[in-house]
Amino acid sequence: MVLNLVKESLELTTKNNVSSWGVLMDPEDPERVIGEIAFQLDRRILSHVFQSQARLYGFTVLNIPEKIIQVSTHPLTGRVDEGYGLHVSQRYTDLMERLAQLGYNQTLHPPFTEFIVNTYGILKQRPDSYMAQEMDYNNVYVVREVIFSTAPGKLVPDLLLLLSCLSDMARTDRKPLLLW
C-alpha cells in the first residue's frame, strides 16, 4: 500500500512540472537536474580525492592523475612529496574501486559526465534550504523519475549509474545528495 502511494507520487513528479511535494518547477529544471547530478558526482569525487585542496579550479575527474602529481609537487622547489602523492593516489584508487563495484567505468564515465553537464547544464540557483524543492532534489526516487521522464532512453542506464554512485557517496559521507 505504501509502496503504491510512493509510486503514484513519483508518477506525478514531473507531470505538468510539478514536483512530488507540489512545488511548481521551472520548465528547465528537469533537464538541469540531470546535469546537476553529473556535476555533483564529479565534484564529490574531486573533493574526496583532494580533501586538502581549498579550490578545485581546473580539476576534472579526467585529469586526476596529472593533478595528483601537481599537488604533490612544491611549486617553488619542484620537490615531490612522495608520501602525500601516495596518500592522494590511494584515496583515488580506493574510491574508483568502490565506484567500479557499482558499475562506474573510469574510462567511459568521466567524459560521459562532462558531456551530460555540457548538454543539460546545471541548476541556475540553489533552492532555499528546507523548501520542498530542495527536498525533491535530494530525493533519489524523485531524481530517478526525472531521469526516466526527461532523458533519452539510451542515456538512462548510465545516468542511473551516475545517480547510484552519487547516492553511495552521499550515504558514505552522511551528507545530502546535492551539496550547495
Side-chain angles (χ1 to χ4, degrees), residues 4-172:
N4 287 337
L5 289 174
V6 171
K7 185 177 178 184
E8 288 173 17
S9 172
L10 291 177
E11 288 171 1
L12 295 174
T13 298
T14 56
K15 289 182 183 173
N16 301 322
N17 295 324
V18 176
S19 75
S20 63
W21 300 98
V23 174
L24 191 62
M25 291 178 139
D26 182 317
E28 293 180 356
D29 276 0
E31 287 187 354
R32 290 182 180 278
V33 167
I34 291 171
E36 188 71 34
I37 293 300
F39 175 77
Q40 292 273 339
L41 177 61
D42 268 9
R43 301 316 285 173
R44 190 77 62 107
I45 290 170
L46 292 170
S47 294
H48 179 85
V49 173
F50 300 102
Q51 283 186 336
S52 63
Q53 291 296 121
R55 305 266 187 272
L56 294 170
Y57 182 76
F59 288 63
T60 67
V61 175
L62 285 170
N63 72 11
I64 286 177
E66 293 85 18
K67 291 298 182 179
I68 290 172
I69 294 168
Q70 181 183 334
V71 301
S72 301
T73 305
H74 191 280
L76 297 177
T77 66
R79 185 167 182 231
V80 176
D81 183 342
E82 292 181 21
Y84 182 68
L86 181 62
H87 170 73
V88 176
S89 293
Q90 191 61 53
R91 290 185 64 75
Y92 175 57
T93 301
D94 292 346
L95 179 60
M96 288 299 109
E97 287 173 0
R98 189 174 100 213
L99 295 180
Q101 292 175 355
L102 299 172
Y104 188 86
N105 180 314
Q106 245 176 292
T107 305
L108 169 71
H109 289 107
F112 175 74
T113 302
E114 204 170 279
F115 165 77
I116 293 299
V117 172
N118 288 331
T119 301
Y120 292 102
I122 59 174
L123 292 171
K124 289 182 181 178
Q125 63 185 48
R126 172 185 179 179
D128 292 332
S129 294
Y130 305 107
M131 296 299 290
Q133 193 175 32
E134 183 177 2
M135 288 188 275
D136 277 354
Y137 292 153
N138 282 296
N139 183 325
V140 174
Y141 300 106
V142 171
V143 176
R144 281 178 54 90
E145 186 58 32
V146 169
I147 290 170
F148 278 119
S149 65
T150 306
K154 290 180 180 179
L155 298 180
V156 168
D158 285 306
L159 289 169
L160 291 174
L161 180 111
L162 297 182
L163 179 59
S164 293
C165 291
L166 181 60
S167 178
D168 178 74
M169 291 190 76
R171 231 181 347 269
T172 301

